[in-house]
Amino acid sequence: MEVDFSMQECLLRHGIKPSLQRMAILGYLSVTRTHPTADEVYNALHPALPTLSLTTVYNTLKLYAERGVLLLLLVDEKNVRFDIDTGRHAHFQCIECKNVYDIQIENRDALYKKEVDGMKITETHLYYKGHCKACLFNEK
Amino acid sequence: MEVDFSMQECLLRHGIKPSLQRMAILGYLSVTRTHPTADEVYNALHPALPTLSLTTVYNTLKLYAERGVLLLLLVDEKNVRFDIDTGRHAHFQCIECKNVYDIQIENRDALYKKEVDGMKITETHLYYKGHCKACLFNEK
DNA sequence: TTTTAAATTTGTAGTTATTATAAAATTGTA
DNA sequence: TACAATTTTATAATAACTACAAATTTAAAA
């Protein structure tokens, strides 16, 4: 079986022991750029990894968020979603199909500040909501 | 008993019949600028309005959001919060005390776009997270 | 290798925020 | 007053997530 050393190293760099389950979850997030929910991660991996439990998925995603391996997205009012791309970018969620898309930010430095009004900023989230291309097209 | 006509008119303008409960909820949101959760609204009004039900609070807040009377805030991963100020501004949530503060946005027009990548934008949310003044002070 | 300890995973059972539903109460109107 | 429409309410259900403790796996020591 092949092992992706870059993923292993990614976890080790964040102080996380790379178990089978953790690698599988990271692997899924790396190839899937749909900003999945915990449930979606579980459903995607469960067939190939039948022993995997939903609890492990939640625990692992929480651990990854704490260690900075990924970002929590709060754009969806129903579920937390996860983004393995920790670079500075925004998100758009279609209010019809619920899909989440990456959006580039024009002047990042103006947006990603260190502090405001004496408060120390550790996270910046920019979300847009509306109607995606596909849904706009289908309505016509 | 006094009646605040401006609040009545606000609801009528949004096509909402101003019932006792609806006025009470709107009144609370108008004076309370803490971006409360549905539960907080209920707990605040329940003593003075013992017949009020949590369901009504949820229904009313949902109605207000649909009609544009208020905005949903997704900054708190646990609950949806509500903001009666529909003007264009950002929010900061302290990850320690969980309080939510209003933040002014510098160049609004650059942020609040009509569309991106062919997608039609109807809402823009800018959230910051970190440590508020009070919590920073207490740590020292 | 065997033993032991530590870490991880798992299933189950909770908790909590929110929604669905239908009966009861209220309001507006003929 | 009678009737219909709307609103509110209580209850029950749902769904996302967490707590917990047992079982398993991994790592380290003997």
Side-chain angles (χ1 to χ4, degrees):
Chain A
M1 212 231 274
E2 267 185 276
V3 179
D4 186 332
F5 288 106
S6 67
M7 287 205 314
Q8 280 210 24
E9 276 158 25
C10 167
L11 292 184
L12 291 171
R13 222 183 315 121
H14 288 91
I16 297 168
K17 205 188 290 183
S19 73
L20 181 73
Q21 291 84 342
R22 286 170 178 172
M23 291 290 285
I25 291 168
L26 180 60
Y28 178 72
L29 290 169
S30 301
V31 294
T32 310
R33 296 321 193 89
T34 56
H35 316 90
T37 64
D39 212 61
E40 284 166 0
V41 173
Y42 174 76
N43 288 131
L45 293 176
H46 184 68
L49 215 71
T51 68
L52 183 68
S53 81
L54 184 54
T55 303
T56 297
V57 174
Y58 272 105
N59 289 342
T60 303
L61 292 171
K62 192 180 189 182
L63 178 69
Y64 285 175
E66 284 164 5
R67 301 293 173 86
V69 178
L70 50 73
L71 295 177
L72 293 191
L73 301 189
L74 307 178
V75 70
D76 188 331
E77 20 188 309
K78 290 206 73 168
N79 317 305
V80 172
R81 290 175 174 274
F82 301 91
D83 191 351
I84 197 68
D85 179 359
T86 56
R88 300 190 295 179
H89 64 287
H91 294 91
F92 175 98
Q93 184 176 41
C94 177
I95 56 181
E96 295 180 63
C97 66
K98 309 296 179 191
N99 285 341
V100 176
Y101 303 93
D102 288 322
I103 303 292
Q104 270 193 264
I105 296 174
E106 267 131 50
N107 48 355
R108 294 177 188 172
D109 293 331
L111 205 68
Y112 285 78
K113 307 178 204 175
K114 288 268 169 61
E115 65 140 74
V116 246
D117 303 346
M119 303 184 282
K120 193 180 164 194
I121 296 172
T122 58
E123 286 176 54
T124 300
H125 302 245
L126 176 56
Y127 302 120
Y128 293 105
K129 301 200 132 207
H131 304 267
C132 75
K133 271 184 187 172
C135 289
L136 284 171
F137 181 79
N138 291 337
E139 280 154 24
K140 283 177 199 157
Chain B
M1 212 231 274
E2 268 184 276
V3 178
D4 186 332
F5 287 105
S6 66
M7 287 204 313
Q8 281 209 23
E9 275 157 26
C10 167
L11 291 184
L12 292 171
R13 221 181 317 121
H14 288 92
I16 297 169
K17 205 188 290 181
S19 73
L20 182 71
Q21 291 84 340
R22 286 170 177 173
M23 291 291 285
I25 292 167
L26 180 60
Y28 178 71
L29 290 169
S30 300
V31 295
T32 309
R33 296 320 192 90
T34 55
H35 317 88
T37 63
D39 211 62
E40 284 166 1
V41 173
Y42 173 75
N43 287 130
L45 294 176
H46 185 67
L49 214 72
T51 69
L52 182 68
S53 82
L54 183 55
T55 302
T56 297
V57 174
Y58 271 105
N59 289 342
T60 303
L61 292 171
K62 193 180 189 181
L63 178 71
Y64 286 176
E66 283 164 7
R67 301 293 173 87
V69 177
L70 52 72
L71 295 177
L72 293 192
L73 300 189
L74 307 178
V75 69
D76 188 331
E77 19 186 309
K78 289 207 73 166
N79 316 305
V80 173
R81 291 174 173 274
F82 301 91
D83 191 351
I84 198 67
D85 179 0
T86 56
R88 301 191 293 180
H89 64 288
H91 293 91
F92 175 97
Q93 183 175 43
C94 177
I95 56 180
E96 294 180 62
C97 67
K98 308 297 180 190
N99 285 342
V100 176
Y101 303 93
D102 288 323
I103 302 292
Q104 269 194 265
I105 297 175
E106 267 131 49
N107 48 356
R108 295 177 187 173
D109 293 330
L111 205 67
Y112 284 78
K113 307 177 201 174
K114 289 268 168 64
E115 65 140 72
V116 247
D117 303 345
M119 304 183 280
K120 193 180 164 193
I121 295 173
T122 57
E123 285 177 55
T124 300
H125 302 245
L126 176 57
Y127 302 121
Y128 292 105
K129 302 201 130 206
H131 304 269
C132 75
K133 271 185 188 172
C135 288
L136 285 172
F137 181 78
N138 290 337
E139 280 155 25
K140 285 178 196 157

